[in-house]
Amino acid sequence: MFSSLWYGGDYNPEQWTPDVWDDDVRLMRRAGVTVATVGVFSWAKLEPADGEFDFGWLDDVIDRLHAGGIGVDLATATAAPPPWLAREHPDTLPVMADGTVLGIGSRQHYSPSSATYREYAARLATRIVERYADHPAVIAWHVNNEYGCHVPRCWSDESAVAFRAWLAERYGDIETLNDAWGTAFWSQHYASFDEVMPPRAAPASINPTQQLDFDRFGSDALLALHRMECDIIRARSDKPITTNFMGFFKPADYWRWAEHVDFVTDDAYPDPADPRAIPFAAAVRDLMRSLAGDKPWILMEQATSAVNWRPRNAPKPAGMFRRLSLQSIARGADGIMQFQWRQSVRGSEKFHSAMVPHAGEDTRIYRDVCALGEELAGLTSVIGSRVPSRVAVMFDWDSWWAVEQTDTPARVSYIRAVLAWHAALYRAGVTVDFASKDSSLDGYDLVIVPTMQVVTPEVQARVAAASGRGATVLVTYQSAILDEGLGVLPGGYLGAWQELLGVRVEEFAPYAQPDQFFDAPATVPVSSLDGELAGGIEGWSEVVHADAAEVLATFTEGLAAGGPAITRRAGAEGAGAAWYVATQPSEALADAVVARLLADSGVAPVATSASDEVEAVRRGDRLFLINHGATAAEVEWDGGAATLDAGEVRVV
């Protein structure tokens, strides 16, 4: 799809006078910029009054970029409606669960279910695509921006009508909904869909399945907006379409979204002050590659240095901008883009770093921008190449929404449960794919299923089949507890996985603490029966019966003391081993389990190092070696070895 790696950023020329535009093109060419994203927040400039359009300035900007050899990723500009739209049509404004109506003066002040907003957004998108579909500078379309970032849900009366229509399509009749929602509880039985409301502010906890369906509906409502604009574009243009995702973003089920873009893009802002930022960034890159499947993916936004929204905004230290950029390339990206090109001098993001900072071109940041542009120009051979992985970690938005509801056995962080395993595999030097509950598991030698609370018979069968063909499988606590309607699985927790794992769960036994201290979960040791799985656990235990599995470690405290904490069922001839981890392991314990899993599955890292700070990823015929540490590190791989200096990146 792309002949060169994308490199550039969001370009907002409407913030500047035209005399700056030519200098922008000069600096872009010097930096090796190949693409600029234009028009993301330009609605008020493009349509200053209802039906009065001004495209002259945009014509000028796009023509200048084209003359400079810079491609344009042209936005539909629908992410921030102009003030006149809210004044003339207050029904477009979003409403919160407590009835608060959000106003203007920021961005994303629209209700996803507003018919008026959709009408005006469709008109603007139509005018833009009709005007620029054949412009030679336009190489892609950028729909809206970061859907749901600030307003992921709307509880207005218009949203209630849309929610009822969504429910009617899902369930067909009201009695099917009553059965799925369990409305016999608390006298919640509905006589018709007209009685159903969004889960607004209420006296006590709201029906769990109602909450889950509203999350599903909310994701679909945003997706419907995206699809509306995609249909407008595709009727006039065959150029690829995208919208920018936001990594592990809870409100939007990106597995459903990914099929509606021609290439996946992501906005990623890891905190330079957080030591967990590097492995977390790797996990986000792996998620984007997995969402993309056979499509390309591009890092659409990152900061060259500091952002502006944290209490203290640490700058990226020397080399970090380059290392994180090349980490994305290593993990499958076909481009590196930034927010934004030129640092703003007014507005909410004036202190957010950019490719051209306030201090201009004679700066560390701009020199780094130019150096990276030159380096990316030499990596075009990786475009379209694959990142092989033999490990799948299952990731499911339904389970995320469900497990973090109230009225559960304990407050479980789904993301923490998932990323603990990705981080352990990252430290082991193993590249990971994420898999949805609908993904094929063929080709994976190790499948990890962390806290997949909501399951279908199909996903249970697919995981069991992976084990049956020889893959090693690991399932963790709070998996296979509920069906898609959040009803407890018949036959007991774990459902059909009881036979796969050789265990059954009798009772949950989280380590309770006073509520005000719950964010610091209890840490207790487990007892390893073979001495190999030493380490602590956090917050969770359960009463497990190992009917047909080997017990590898036991709980030492609480109701579950002396009972199985980690089990392994050896596969029959030709079948893979099946593990159950009935708790949230500490880092050390997760590392020990992963070492055993890799031995079971025969999966080996592409390179080894004594330093956890070294990242090694193979993409196509290139091996990317990145030393994120402050000291030199030795690295070995099949056919070679090297010493990487502190902060060094080497592409072999």
Side-chain angles (χ1 to χ4, degrees), residues 245-252 254-255 266-267 279-288 291 393-397 400 414-415 418-419 422 434:
F245 295 168
M246 291 170 284
F248 292 97
F249 181 61
K250 186 177 180 180
Y254 285 148
W255 292 118
D266 182 52
D267 297 353
F280 175 73
V284 173
R285 275 67 158 142
D286 289 345
L287 177 64
M288 292 305 121
L291 290 167
V393 173
M394 301 199 74
F395 187 81
D396 176 49
W397 261 269
W400 191 355
Y414 179 72
I415 286 296
V418 171
L419 294 186
H422 184 281
F434 286 98

Side-chain angles (χ1 to χ4, degrees), residues 2-309:
F2 306 124
S3 58
S4 62
L5 291 173
W6 279 32
Y7 185 55
D10 277 42
Y11 182 38
N12 299 290
E14 63 272 26
Q15 298 179 16
W16 305 93
T17 54
D19 59 293
V20 179
W21 298 350
D22 281 332
D23 196 48
D24 284 331
V25 173
R26 175 186 69 83
L27 292 173
M28 286 182 189
R29 288 174 59 84
R30 178 179 166 191
V33 167
T34 60
V35 179
T37 299
V38 179
V40 172
F41 297 115
S42 300
W43 191 340
K45 183 76 169 176
L46 293 170
E47 191 180 5
D50 189 350
E52 298 179 12
F53 293 93
D54 177 12
F55 290 106
W57 67 273
L58 187 56
D59 292 345
D60 189 2
V61 167
I62 293 177
D63 288 344
R64 292 180 193 229
L65 291 170
H66 181 58
I70 297 161
V72 172
D73 171 37
L74 186 57
T76 58
T78 53
W84 60 258
L85 183 62
R87 184 186 70 247
E88 296 175 13
H89 301 283
D91 58 296
T92 61
L93 295 172
V95 179
M96 298 295 95
D98 64 358
T100 300
V101 179
L102 301 183
I104 64 172
S106 181
R107 64 178 187 177
Q108 259 187 24
H109 43 276
Y110 61 83
S111 166
S113 297
S114 169
T116 304
Y117 168 78
R118 291 198 301 271
E119 176 186 348
Y120 278 89
R123 184 177 74 177
L124 178 63
T126 300
R127 293 293 295 267
I128 289 174
V129 72
E130 286 179 348
R131 189 175 188 91
Y132 298 107
D134 297 322
H135 196 293
V138 177
I139 62 172
W141 299 100
H142 188 101
V143 175
N144 203 282
N145 182 76
E146 295 184 338
Y147 279 103
C149 178
H150 306 295
V151 188
R153 305 285 182 262
C154 175
W155 288 260
S156 67
D157 289 343
E158 194 167 7
S159 294
V161 172
F163 183 41
R164 293 179 195 123
W166 184 92
L167 292 170
E169 182 177 357
R170 179 176 178 85
Y171 292 107
D173 61 77
I174 194 63
E175 288 308 322
T176 303
L177 178 143
N178 280 315
D179 181 63
W181 284 18
T183 57
F185 185 80
W186 278 3
S187 186
Q188 293 174 352
H189 185 273
Y190 296 100
S192 72
F193 285 107
D194 291 338
E195 296 179 355
V196 180
M197 298 295 290
R200 292 171 173 165
S205 57
I206 295 173
N207 185 297
T209 316
Q210 180 183 3
Q211 294 182 62
L212 176 60
D213 274 341
F214 192 67
D215 280 326
R216 291 164 170 160
F217 158 75
S219 177
D220 284 353
L222 291 167
L223 178 57
L225 288 182
H226 171 71
R227 294 180 64 181
M228 176 193 74
E229 294 194 34
C230 288
D231 289 344
I232 291 169
I233 294 169
R234 290 191 172 111
R236 182 66 180 81
S237 172
D238 61 358
K239 292 168 185 172
I241 301 171
T242 194
T243 189
N244 36 349
F245 295 168
M246 291 170 284
F248 292 97
F249 181 61
K250 186 177 180 180
D253 181 349
Y254 285 148
W255 292 118
R256 288 178 52 81
W257 282 67
E259 61 187 274
H260 298 290
V261 294
D262 295 316
F263 60 105
V264 166
T265 60
D266 182 52
D267 297 353
Y269 294 97
D271 186 352
D274 188 342
R276 300 164 295 184
I278 301 299
F280 175 73
V284 173
R285 275 67 158 142
D286 289 345
L287 177 64
M288 292 305 121
R289 184 185 68 252
S290 303
L291 290 167
D294 292 330
K295 303 173 184 176
W297 84 269
I298 284 174
L299 179 61
M300 184 58 75
E301 287 187 24
Q302 68 168 343
T304 54
S305 188
V307 297
N308 67 295
W309 62 78

